[in-house]
Amino acid sequence: QFPEFEPAQRDWQTHERLLLVAGLGNFMLPMPRHIQLARSLETMMHEGYVGRSPRTAAHVRTLQMLYDRQKAGVAFSATPHSQRTALSSALVGMSGMGKTVATRRRLSLIPPVIYHPDLRVWQIPYLHIETPHDGASAKGLAHAILRKVDSLIPDGNYYEKYALRGKPGVETLLNHAARVLHLHFVGLLVVDEVQNLENSPKNKQALMSLLVSASNDLGVPILFIGTNKARRVLTLDFRQARRATGHGQEYWDRLAKGSAERPDEWEDFIN
């Protein structure tokens, strides 16, 4: 995506030309890293939908599992619910490298919600939320999921139904959020600003472990996005790193600089 430009703008007055500089913020040059991210997102979504079909016994079993755990007062299992490889991945890099923008651009090519009239099902291919600022609020995470779904589903009203009525506990609220994800067949959960987990005054792994367990239980792939601070959270221990980034962790560093003979990303971008 190139900024709008007319040669006559070169003769504009200085204060007018300075305003045009802001247009560079919309400039987008696809690079190998963007292509790799796009392919990774597509692969995760396709793999995540394997074995997840509406009106099937497996679909009902998952709903029953969530109901049983709600009665037991627990949110998600500590071990994978299925035997397949974890579908979570991570995109980490310096601030301002365009991680979130690139992810949103790729996902914008997919309808945010799809209605299947034959099944009377609203499908949400992807859901993009941010980690709570304090890094430890599981309730804040559930609220973010319910609000986001409400913004996509006509007359969803899940936030009012599950979060405002009564005083639900954290485990109950998380089970409600998980049920909503399952009912609407969310294909990919993008969890942004993972570095906020560093702000947690207690266990920095708690919220991430909860998310990964939810991914395993529901079969919903998760993409964690964060700055360099997120690397410390993702690699606090080997087991946590393996579970959080089952599909690998991609790191976006500064644009690589080459030479006149062998140009690299930086030269391509400047040209």
Side-chain angles (χ1 to χ4, degrees):
Q1 179 176 341
F2 293 95
E4 295 182 4
F5 171 73
E6 296 292 340
Q9 293 171 345
R10 294 179 176 137
D11 300 322
W12 287 11
Q13 300 214 10
T14 301
H15 69 278
E16 294 175 316
R17 288 187 286 114
L18 284 173
L19 292 176
L20 296 177
V21 175
L24 292 174
N26 296 323
F27 170 67
M28 175 68 176
L29 175 67
M31 295 183 174
R33 63 177 67 186
H34 299 116
I35 305 301
Q36 183 177 350
L37 172 64
R39 289 172 175 167
S40 177
L41 290 172
E42 189 169 3
T43 299
M44 289 176 65
M45 292 181 71
H46 279 236
E47 289 189 23
Y49 275 126
V50 173
R52 295 173 61 199
S53 300
R55 310 272 179 94
T56 61
H59 180 73
V60 175
R61 278 197 299 269
T62 300
L63 289 174
Q64 183 64 43
M65 173 197 68
L66 293 171
Y67 177 69
D68 292 341
R69 288 184 181 164
Q70 180 179 336
K71 290 197 300 182
V74 296
F76 303 107
S77 62
T79 57
H81 179 61
S82 63
Q83 297 301 316
R84 59 182 173 179
T85 306
L87 294 175
S88 48
S89 182
L91 175 59
V92 180
M94 299 176 62
S95 180
M97 291 303 299
K99 302 179 297 295
T100 298
V101 172
T103 302
R104 288 187 182 276
R105 281 179 182 267
R106 173 62 188 93
L107 294 177
S108 68
L109 302 177
I110 304 171
V113 63
I114 302 171
Y115 181 65
H116 301 273
D118 53 331
L119 297 170
R120 289 183 293 179
V121 168
W122 289 94
Q123 175 193 356
I124 300 177
Y126 61 91
L127 203 63
H128 193 144
I129 62 172
E130 291 189 1
T131 308
H133 180 70
D134 60 11
S137 177
K139 183 174 289 188
L141 179 72
H143 285 175
I145 292 174
L146 294 175
R147 284 196 182 103
K148 189 67 175 181
V149 172
D150 279 349
S151 69
L152 297 171
I153 303 298
D155 301 323
N157 209 27
Y158 290 117
Y159 181 73
E160 180 181 349
K161 181 179 180 181
Y162 294 134
L164 298 183
R165 296 178 184 176
K167 295 183 179 179
V170 175
E171 289 77 13
T172 300
L173 198 56
L174 286 170
N175 271 281
H176 287 322
R179 187 180 297 109
V180 169
L181 293 177
H182 187 63
L183 286 173
H184 293 293
F185 298 91
V186 173
L188 175 68
L189 182 62
V190 180
V191 182
D192 214 335
E193 306 293 346
V194 182
Q195 68 275 2
N196 287 343
L197 294 176
E198 278 283 302
N199 300 328
S200 174
K202 299 179 181 179
N203 186 357
K204 294 179 173 58
Q205 297 180 356
L207 193 54
M208 181 167 291
S209 296
L210 196 66
L211 282 166
V212 176
S213 296
S215 173
N216 290 329
D217 282 346
L218 303 177
V220 179
I222 297 182
L223 174 67
F224 297 101
I225 302 179
T227 62
N228 287 336
K229 287 184 178 180
R231 299 184 81 179
R232 294 197 293 268
V233 180
L234 289 167
T235 57
L236 284 172
D237 62 59
F238 180 78
R239 176 175 171 271
Q240 181 67 19
R242 180 189 63 78
R243 294 187 67 208
T245 59
H247 259 241
Q249 176 178 324
E250 187 174 355
Y251 181 69
W252 280 17
D253 204 348
R254 294 170 294 179
L255 299 184
K257 187 175 181 180
S259 61
E261 296 77 19
R262 301 186 64 181
D264 210 326
E265 289 180 321
W266 174 252
E267 287 73 25
D268 290 341
F269 180 79
I270 292 298
N271 288 333

